[in-house]
Amino acid sequence: MTQHLTGTEELPGADASNRAERVGAAATAARANARRAIEAAERAFPGWSATPPAERRGLLQRASELLLERQADIAALVTEETGGTVGWGMFNVQLAAGMLAYYAGQADAPAEEQEIPSHIPGKRAKAVRQPVGVVVGIAPWNAPVVLGVRAVAAPLAYGNTVVLKASEQCPRTHAAIVDALKDAGLPAGAINLVANDPEDAAELVDELIAHPAVRRINFTGSTRVGRIIAEKAARHLKRVLLELGGKAPLVVLADADLERAVAAATFGSFIHQGQICMSTERIVIDRSVADEFAQMLGERASSLKIGDPREPSTQIGPLVSEDALTRVREHVEDAVAKGAKVVAGGKADGALFEPTVLMGVTPEMRVYSEESFGAGRRDRDGRRCRRGGARRQRHRVRALIGGVQRGRGRGDGRCAPAGDWHVPHQRRDRQRRATDALRRRQAQWLGPFRRQGGARGVHRASLDQHSRQPAPVPDLAI
């Protein structure tokens, strides 16, 4: 028996997860159910957007507290549905609760106002940010609590209503987020959940994007699916926020502290079995320290404890699916066949894949450019990072630059075409522009003009629709 989870006023909260448990699987949400979820959010928008910011802040803060109170139970769901370790699940809840608390604090932050030059003498113009309406959040399974909360926290804080599409892999984990928000006191329809079987995903997402009440789409997932969503949204002239996959490199310079670099590489590569969109997928090393670094990383990888994710001491659990296991195995086999050296790991035991380090990876190998999303890492040496191979990427990436001389990392980082690159205490933060995409700009012209009927006052218009210059495109997080 299949049961639909819809976004009607009765859905959000405990009922959603309980129903999912009773049927023992993710329910199907087809077009009609997606429409009901969106319509519920549309009906709730006027009331929620008019809710005093201090009240929104209190509700979101309470939801953050509820997540922490339920941390152990939600972490157990993460392990059950995705194979994440207990530690990963607990970390997810803690980080998500902090994120929700942060955006609770943003709910009553002063609205941004921007002066707009006016070509009419005696008149002034300004732009203010207003809630946009219904926001669709599409969250993945790999960091389900963190990314589920991120999909809904900022839109709700800024006065939007949300339809959250749960991952087919972890509907009960995503329902637990909705539980916390509903139990905290969010009004009916402000937060809505839809879940689906994998075969219904395309139809459901098409409806979520095409519905005229939906104003923004927030997606985290693969580059392939993100491209499809961006194309569909473009047909309807809707703005999107995307966080996609890549081949994120760690660049290790000759003067780096190798102990710290190896620790960073181990954490970045193998946490949650490497199933994170910003996992360290490739390591570019100065040739003078390449062998030493590879040996140290191999020893560290081999020391990680592999086993049952329910055991607190387990550091590496199973990959999420047979497809994931096959992909990682094929990447390793292809690289070895073309000349790569296995420094550590390289073998599977059931759903478990050993933390793997490959040395001598070249552009001809699949693992060089394809995202592995598993516990395998590639080392490549190079005298300059531009020769180390960071340029042949098909996707923009994040890069972490490791060096100890002040300014050295920043200078060398410019040769990597990274969407974000990080040096200690230096970071380009795109959060402001991303959150601004969740609030439309509204223009206000102030001056001695007359409206129809002769009354003086303030004229308002949405810059998203009426500005001669288009509203700024959101800075997409890659």
Side-chain angles (χ1 to χ4, degrees):
M1 177 180 177
T2 322
Q3 188 165 1
H4 293 269
L5 298 182
T6 67
T8 60
E9 287 83 344
E10 292 78 17
L11 167 69
D15 288 346
S17 61
N18 289 342
R19 291 174 186 171
E21 289 174 355
R22 285 200 298 270
V23 300
T28 300
R31 283 185 180 271
N33 301 296
R35 283 194 293 271
R36 285 196 287 270
I38 296 167
E39 289 163 3
E42 185 180 22
R43 289 192 297 272
F45 174 67
W48 179 246
S49 61
T51 299
E55 184 176 341
R56 291 203 303 266
R57 178 188 63 193
L59 293 173
L60 295 178
Q61 182 62 48
R62 177 55 184 154
S64 170
E65 295 166 358
L66 289 175
L67 284 180
L68 288 177
E69 291 174 11
R70 303 169 183 180
Q71 185 176 21
D73 292 338
I74 298 175
L77 282 177
V78 173
T79 298
E80 180 183 342
E81 293 190 310
T82 71
T85 63
V86 171
W88 175 247
M90 297 290 280
F91 170 78
N92 250 250
V93 179
Q94 183 176 7
L95 186 59
M99 185 180 297
L100 200 51
Y102 170 81
Y103 281 108
Q106 294 294 303
D108 57 357
E112 177 190 350
E113 295 188 1
Q114 178 183 358
E115 285 287 334
I116 302 175
S118 173
H119 64 282
I120 303 175
K123 293 185 173 63
R124 295 182 298 113
K126 66 178 181 178
V128 297
R129 293 282 177 181
Q130 300 288 344
V132 298
V134 179
V135 176
V136 167
I138 305 176
W141 57 265
N142 58 319
V145 193
V146 171
L147 299 180
V149 165
R150 192 178 67 178
V152 305
L156 289 170
Y158 296 139
N160 303 286
T161 52
V162 178
V163 176
L164 174 64
K165 180 199 170 297
S167 167
E168 300 90 339
Q169 193 72 37
C170 56
R172 287 185 294 155
T173 302
H174 284 155
I177 297 170
V178 178
D179 289 354
L181 290 162
K182 176 71 181 293
D183 294 346
L186 262 71
I191 177 70
N192 306 272
L193 179 73
V194 288
N196 61 280
D197 288 330
E199 56 268 24
D200 298 321
E203 184 179 10
L204 174 65
V205 171
D206 188 68
E207 181 65 32
L208 291 174
I209 294 173
H211 196 289
V214 172
R215 304 302 303 274
R216 299 288 189 270
I217 300 97
N218 182 354
F219 170 79
T220 301
S222 71
T223 302
R224 180 185 64 83
V225 176
R227 182 178 289 112
I228 294 171
I229 288 174
E231 290 172 352
K232 287 181 178 292
R235 294 192 195 108
H236 300 279
L237 299 179
K238 295 184 180 181
R239 296 172 70 177
V240 296
L241 293 90
L242 304 175
E243 180 173 346
L244 309 179
K247 201 69 179 174
L250 166 69
V251 181
V252 181
L253 305 180
D255 60 347
D257 181 330
L258 293 189
E259 286 286 348
R260 293 180 63 188
V262 167
T266 303
F267 180 82
S269 299
F270 302 122
I271 186 173
H272 193 37
Q273 295 77 258
Q275 299 172 122
I276 303 177
C277 58
M278 55 189 177
S279 288
T280 302
E281 283 272 337
R282 181 172 48 180
I283 305 171
V284 184
I285 317 167
D286 190 285
R287 191 166 295 161
S288 63
V289 296
D291 290 338
E292 183 180 2
F293 180 91
Q295 180 180 352
M296 293 171 64
L297 180 60
E299 292 172 354
R300 184 74 68 92
S302 299
S303 69
L304 297 175
K305 183 178 179 181
I306 309 171
D308 187 339
R310 294 168 294 186
E311 295 294 331
S313 61
T314 297
Q315 296 171 294
I316 302 292
L319 293 177
V320 70
S321 66
E322 184 64 32
D323 288 343
L325 188 70
T326 299
R327 180 178 62 251
V328 174
R329 182 191 294 115
E330 289 178 350
H331 278 175
V332 173
E333 292 174 351
D334 174 77
V336 171
K338 294 175 180 176
K341 174 187 175 183
V342 178
V343 179
K347 297 178 181 179
D349 180 10
L352 301 167
F353 200 92
E354 296 176 340
T356 300
V357 179
L358 300 175
M359 186 69 175
V361 174
T362 61
E364 294 75 26
M365 302 171 187
R366 287 179 55 192
V367 73
Y368 180 90
S369 57
E370 295 181 14
E371 187 176 21
S372 295
F373 226 63
R377 291 300 168 260
R378 283 65 57 197
D379 292 348
R380 177 178 172 83
D381 58 76
R383 295 192 184 280
R384 298 287 302 276
C385 73
R386 67 169 60 92
R387 294 181 61 188
R391 277 199 180 277
R392 293 192 181 115
Q393 274 292 94
R394 290 181 295 173
H395 312 298
R396 291 173 64 80
V397 296
R398 290 186 176 89
L400 176 67
I401 311 299
V404 298
Q405 295 179 6
R406 184 176 297 276
R408 173 77 183 277
R410 184 181 182 110
D412 284 54
R414 290 177 180 146
C415 67
D420 283 303
W421 51 270
H422 301 266
V423 182
H425 312 300
Q426 300 177 31
R427 184 174 68 174
R428 295 186 296 169
D429 190 357
R430 297 179 170 182
Q431 178 180 357
R432 177 182 172 185
R433 293 186 64 186
T435 54
D436 278 350
L438 300 171
R439 298 176 292 181
R440 63 185 175 88
R441 291 200 306 168
Q442 184 182 74
Q444 299 180 354
W445 284 270
L446 310 174
F449 61 87
R450 292 183 180 274
R451 290 186 279 180
Q452 290 184 354
R456 294 173 180 267
V458 177
H459 173 69
R460 297 179 174 86
S462 170
L463 290 184
D464 282 355
Q465 300 177 13
H466 302 297
S467 176
R468 293 182 180 180
Q469 297 181 354
V473 176
D475 195 2
L476 305 184
I478 302 298

